[in-house]
Amino acid sequence: MTAPTSTSSAAGSGVTDLYPTRGATEVSVPRQDPVVWGAPDTPGPVSADELLGLDRDGFLAVDQLITQDEAAGYRAELERLVADPAVRADERSIVEPKSQEIRSVFEVHRISEAFAALVRDERVVGRARQILGSDVYVHQSRINVKPGFGASGFYWHSDFETWHAEDGLPNMRTVSVSIALTENYETNGGLMIMPGSHKTFLGCAGATPKDNYKKSLQMQDAGTPSDEALTAMAGEYGIKLFTGKPGSATWFDCNCMHGSGDNITPYPRSNVFIVFNSVENAAVEPFAAPVHRPSFIGARDFTPVR
């Protein structure tokens, strides 16, 4: 992997591309942006030590972001949505290729008032504002449903690589939170992150196909690292697997290399996933795709969460 010798601009945006990707070869670029944008002494729910850990590792685990009773209520709402024929027929629902069961429901904070309230909860959005140092909007939200006995995983990737290439996010000023609605065991397809990987941007090889999102939401292809790159990164950073009770959460930087395995256990794993982006990092034109993805996957409404 070699670093590129020049930068380019997103078509028509006039914004310099700090993170080239989807070219002829795989490239490695040092991170150009802070991880924690807020001042260390900014009041908020995240402690100074936790912010240092987030800066160092790229993630922050919270044992009980919401209560287990609250998680049970959101889990019931997830089950209601998944069972609703109108939700299943909506383009925002993604189904498993083999079982045809719902895998994810996107823009869930616009479909469900319960999840909209969760987005506005200060325990949630307050942490995002503190980390990103500004007002924030929801770039993406979804519920991930991993029923037992065969739900497929998500291959290794950096979210920012996709959001930069296909949605037009200029900088790494985006943070995600995955909140457990069922218990996350070591065995039921939990989130894995390479600690420290967020400090290097891996630009993937290969052009972005037209309407790539239709395939990538079921099985990632474009924007996936090579086996050689993943082997080197795992050797350097190691792999952390996250477990936790319902209501626990993992906050992680947009450039973390992460993925999850298949769930072949009898135990379901369901999470709600919210991506907060700084209002000062609003999407422009895609940096490495012919058109941006639909707004239910990568928002074009930059209204701050209130």
Side-chain angles (χ1 to χ4, degrees):
M1 297 183 292
T2 58
T5 57
S6 63
T7 59
S8 59
S9 297
S13 69
V15 177
T16 300
D17 184 2
L18 298 176
Y19 304 105
T21 190
R22 311 284 174 100
T25 59
E26 197 170 58
V27 297
S28 179
V29 180
R31 185 189 185 107
Q32 304 296 307
D33 296 305
V35 178
V36 177
W37 290 75
D41 58 352
T42 301
V46 188
S47 71
D49 285 345
E50 288 173 329
L51 290 174
L52 286 173
L54 175 63
D55 182 76
R56 179 189 65 242
D57 300 325
F59 59 81
L60 168 63
V62 180
D63 288 339
Q64 206 73 75
L65 182 64
I66 61 175
T67 69
Q68 291 199 37
D69 286 345
E70 289 172 310
Y74 289 119
R75 184 167 64 250
E77 175 69 353
L78 177 150
E79 292 168 355
R80 183 190 71 79
L81 292 171
V82 170
D84 186 340
V87 172
R88 182 182 178 83
D90 194 296
E91 65 174 344
R92 292 171 287 189
S93 293
I94 310 300
V95 299
E96 290 277 1
K98 293 182 180 179
S99 69
Q100 293 299 298
E101 292 184 357
I102 288 182
R103 172 189 179 97
S104 301
V105 179
F106 280 80
E107 212 172 42
V108 70
H109 71 295
R110 295 191 182 276
I111 295 174
S112 162
E113 179 50 42
F115 286 112
L118 179 62
V119 165
R120 297 190 299 266
D121 191 313
E122 277 300 314
R123 292 172 294 179
V124 179
V125 70
R127 281 176 166 83
R129 292 192 191 106
Q130 188 180 1
I131 292 166
L132 300 180
S134 69
D135 279 333
V136 297
Y137 70 93
V138 176
H139 176 70
Q140 184 186 103
S141 73
R142 68 177 186 262
I143 46 174
N144 287 333
V145 185
K146 268 194 173 181
F149 299 119
S152 55
F154 293 85
Y155 196 69
W156 290 105
H157 64 286
S158 153
D159 286 329
F160 179 75
E161 193 279 337
T162 298
W163 299 337
H164 182 69
E166 300 186 42
D167 298 339
L169 294 193
N171 296 96
M172 296 180 184
R173 198 170 179 179
T174 314
V175 68
S176 302
V177 60
S178 177
I179 305 172
L181 302 184
T182 57
E183 183 145 2
N184 284 214
Y185 299 103
E186 293 182 350
T187 53
N188 64 343
L191 173 68
M192 297 181 289
I193 292 178
M194 297 185 185
S197 60
H198 62 303
K199 295 295 182 73
T200 301
F201 175 74
L202 185 65
C204 298
T208 308
K210 183 181 179 182
D211 290 339
N212 178 56
Y213 77 93
K214 293 181 179 179
K215 180 180 178 182
S216 69
L217 296 180
Q218 292 181 328
M219 185 63 67
Q220 188 87 0
D221 188 9
T224 53
S226 67
D227 290 351
E228 293 77 13
L230 290 171
T231 300
M233 294 180 82
E236 180 175 359
Y237 301 119
I239 297 173
K240 166 73 173 176
L241 170 67
F242 293 87
T243 60
K245 298 288 186 182
S248 63
T250 304
W251 290 86
F252 58 102
D253 179 80
C254 59
N255 192 46
C256 284
M257 189 62 66
H258 67 287
S260 65
D262 295 350
N263 181 13
I264 61 172
T265 74
Y267 313 118
R269 175 182 173 266
S270 296
N271 294 52
V272 56
F273 181 75
I274 307 164
V275 180
F276 292 102
N277 188 39
S278 169
V279 295
E280 299 172 13
N281 190 45
V284 294
E285 290 304 304
F287 287 85
V291 295
H292 62 74
R293 299 187 299 174
S295 60
F296 68 84
I297 302 173
R300 313 304 287 192
D301 178 354
F302 313 130
T303 305
V305 176
R306 294 282 188 249

